[in-house]
């Protein structure tokens, strides 16, 4: 199938400068050595969606694909937002006199039978924000409406959402609330590794989350699960340094969490941002696509911010999860998020599901694995057989 004219052609393969190409070849050497010992490719997880995109975009994923299998993890906030939360968010959009303020990526994620985008076409007021603070302006200029900001994100986005709530309280903006579906990453990694049999040889950890929570927050990976991991950034050099650091750990059989991004992410993170977070949020149990309920993995607004908590204010009944109907029982995003399959194994990939008509969040989100593979991977290796997965 030809690439759509309005999307870029896939990346032709790693073709950066000579020095980087040499580095890639050194990484390939270590990878081959390990693969030879193990009798299979080295299996590494990109925990964060931004890493999935960066590695695919630079062509590194493809350039190393014969020795290293890179798989996506639970690190895209849109992708891991559970269908039940989505249904509730869409339900808010359907309420009278409510303006939903949201990041654009959520708009096209299919909920049960509809999406925020479809509701907007029917007349719902959906305001696209580039930062949470824009919801504050919307609440000021539409004082007779309730403005609800959809708080989706990880530790990196949470301080900005906390700042919005704190400011709304300070300014007594009682027509502004937040629906929190904010999540924290370490409990999801516990849930993932706690399942056992992941076959993973190592984890690539997000540099920016580590900038907030600190590299220390990931040390349990080595102590509790005996798996090596590396914290790294998103530039070409960061990616290559992170990969070679991780492969050296795997090769030496060392279970350690190593910080290859120490110039930015500190051992204990950013205590000031974390204080802002805990001033506004407290830990709660929350649902993740692919995992279900993970205890202590969500951030809920503290009682003192109840006036700005959409869940409390709107008193919305929980809708049942409609996973037996609609697209979501066919779409395999849940399996991709938990590392059980690759987008290329989904029979709908580029065969009914693409960025213009996405069936699931992993194809909608700019950090989603399916979208990254669609734009940057060589789709000739797709395992599409045109069958409906069981
Ligand atoms: S929010 Fe941050 S941690 Fe999560 S996928 Fe995006 S970049 Fe990665
Ligand atoms: S290719 Fe489409 S249908 Fe398949 S898992 Fe990805 S988003 Fe879902």
């Amino acid at each position: 199938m030809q690439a759509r004219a309005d999307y870029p052609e896939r990346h032709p393969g790693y073709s950066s400068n000579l020095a980087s190409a040499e580095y890639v070849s050194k990484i390939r050497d270590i990878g081959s050595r390990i693969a030879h010992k193990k009798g299979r490719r080295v299996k590494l997880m990109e925990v964060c969606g931004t890493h999935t995109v960066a590695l695919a975009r630079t062509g590194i994923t493809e350039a190393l694909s014969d020795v290293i299998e890179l798989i996506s993890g639970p690190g895209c906030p849109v992708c891991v937002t559970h269908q039940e939360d989505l249904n509730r968010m869409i339900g808010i959009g359907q309420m009278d006199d409510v303006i939903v303020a949201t990041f654009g990526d959520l708009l096209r994620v299919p909920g049960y039978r509809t999406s925020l985008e479809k509701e907007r076409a029917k007349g719902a007021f959906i305001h696209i924000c580039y930062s949470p603070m824009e919801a504050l302006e919307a609440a000021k200029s539409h004082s007779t409406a309730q403005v609800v900001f959809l708080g989706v994100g990880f530790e990196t986005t949470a301080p900005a959402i906390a700042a919005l709530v704190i400011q709304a309280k300070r300014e007594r903006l009682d027509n502004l609330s937040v629906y929190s579906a904010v999540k924290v990453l370490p409990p999801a990694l516990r849930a993932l590794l706690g399942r056992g049999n992941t076959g993973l040889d190592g984890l690539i950890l997000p540099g920016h989350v580590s900038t907030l929570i600190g590299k220390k927050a990931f040390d349990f990976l080595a102590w509790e699960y005996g798996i090596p991991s590396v914290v790294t950034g998103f530039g070409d050099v960061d990616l290559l340094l992170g990969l070679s650091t991780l492969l050296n750990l795997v090769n030496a059989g060392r279970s350690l969490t190593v910080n290859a991004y120490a110039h930015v992410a500190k051992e204990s993170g950013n205590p000031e941002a974390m204080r802002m977070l805990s001033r506004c949020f407290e830990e709660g149990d929350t649902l993740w696509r692919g995992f279900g309920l993970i205890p202590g993995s969500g951030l809920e607004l503290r009682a003192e911010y109840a006036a700005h908590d959409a869940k409390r204010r709107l008193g919305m009944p929980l809708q049942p999860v409609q996973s037996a109907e609609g697209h979501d029982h066919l779409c395999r995003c849940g399996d991709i998020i938990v590392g059980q399959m690759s987008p290329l194994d989904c029979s709908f990939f580029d065969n009914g599901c693409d960025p213009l008509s996405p069936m699931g969040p992993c194809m909608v989100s700019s950090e989603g694995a399916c979208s990254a593979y669609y734009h940057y991977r060589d789709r000739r290796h797709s395992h599409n057989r045109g069958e409906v997965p069981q």
Side-chain angles (χ1 to χ4, degrees), residues 16-342:
S16 196
N17 63 48
L18 201 58
S20 301
E22 265 181 46
Y23 216 104
V24 168
S25 122
K26 281 189 187 145
I27 293 173
R28 163 190 294 287
D29 287 347
I30 317 171
S32 321
R33 251 181 286 144
I34 306 170
H36 187 71
K37 270 194 267 174
K38 289 187 183 285
R40 59 163 175 81
R41 290 187 296 165
V42 189
K43 190 170 173 184
L44 307 177
M45 175 177 274
E46 306 132 344
V47 168
C48 169
T50 312
H51 273 143
T52 302
V53 173
L55 285 159
R57 181 180 43 74
T58 51
I60 294 174
T61 308
E62 195 127 340
L64 296 170
S65 63
D66 53 335
V67 288
I68 301 176
E69 181 186 5
L70 282 164
I71 62 163
S72 309
C76 165
V78 173
C79 303
V80 296
T81 297
H82 196 272
Q83 205 66 24
E84 182 143 354
D85 275 317
L86 263 168
N87 293 340
R88 297 177 84 194
M89 291 169 181
I90 294 168
I92 295 172
Q94 292 167 329
M95 291 175 174
D96 290 335
D97 301 322
V98 166
I99 298 172
V100 163
T102 176
F103 295 132
D105 270 2
L106 264 186
L107 207 62
R108 300 175 63 225
V109 182
Y112 172 54
R113 291 202 177 128
T114 183
S115 65
L116 286 167
E117 187 177 49
K118 287 183 186 157
E119 291 307 308
R120 183 167 69 166
K122 285 193 249 164
F125 291 101
I126 315 282
H127 176 72
I128 305 298
C129 299
Y130 295 95
S131 90
M133 274 303 167
E134 288 175 41
L136 200 79
E137 298 312 315
K140 284 181 188 169
S141 48
H142 300 278
S143 55
T144 55
Q146 285 296 323
V147 174
V148 181
F149 180 76
L150 304 181
V152 166
F154 287 126
E155 289 93 336
T156 41
T157 320
I161 299 174
L164 169 68
V165 172
I166 291 166
Q167 190 63 19
K169 183 172 183 188
R170 190 174 293 147
E171 297 193 27
R172 300 192 180 154
L173 273 179
D174 62 6
N175 67 329
L176 176 63
S177 57
V178 167
Y179 181 100
S180 177
V182 181
K183 296 176 172 52
V184 288
L185 212 41
L189 296 181
R190 278 204 162 85
L192 179 92
L193 298 172
R195 295 175 159 203
N197 297 328
T198 60
L200 288 172
D201 296 306
L203 299 175
I204 303 167
L205 302 169
H208 47 12
V209 170
S210 310
T211 305
L212 266 291
I213 65 177
K215 171 258 176 187
K216 238 175 25 187
F218 290 112
D219 282 343
F220 73 93
L221 294 168
W223 300 338
E224 291 177 28
Y225 300 99
I227 189 162
S229 57
V230 65
V231 171
T232 194
F234 304 93
D236 293 16
V237 174
D238 293 319
L239 297 172
L240 295 174
L241 179 63
L243 267 180
S244 70
T245 306
L246 185 54
L247 285 180
N248 279 321
L249 287 174
V250 176
N251 194 32
R254 299 186 70 198
S255 299
L256 271 182
T257 303
V258 172
N259 188 359
Y261 198 49
H263 49 296
V264 181
K266 304 299 171 205
E267 189 70 10
S268 299
N270 180 338
E272 201 177 317
M274 293 307 284
R275 263 196 298 280
M276 159 97 90
L277 262 189
S278 61
R279 189 171 147 198
C280 181
F281 290 112
E282 61 191 2
E283 203 177 275
D285 304 341
T286 198
L287 290 165
W288 294 60
R289 189 186 294 272
F291 289 97
L293 191 83
I294 305 181
S297 66
L299 294 179
E300 299 293 344
L301 293 182
R302 289 187 180 279
E304 64 185 285
Y305 296 99
H308 302 286
D309 184 348
K311 291 179 186 169
R312 288 174 166 116
R313 283 189 62 152
L314 301 174
M316 292 174 313
L318 276 182
Q319 292 179 356
V321 184
Q322 302 285 358
S323 55
E325 292 186 60
H327 275 151
D328 48 318
H329 77 295
L330 301 175
C331 166
R332 306 296 296 268
C333 285
D335 296 318
I336 290 171
I337 289 160
V338 299
Q340 292 298 309
M341 65 179 263
S342 152

Side-chain angles (χ1 to χ4, degrees), residues 330-333 336 343 346 348-350 353 359-363 370:
L330 301 175
C331 166
R332 306 296 296 268
C333 285
I336 290 171
C346 173
F348 296 105
F349 182 84
D350 203 8
C353 179
M359 285 171 63
C362 295
M363 190 59 94
C370 300

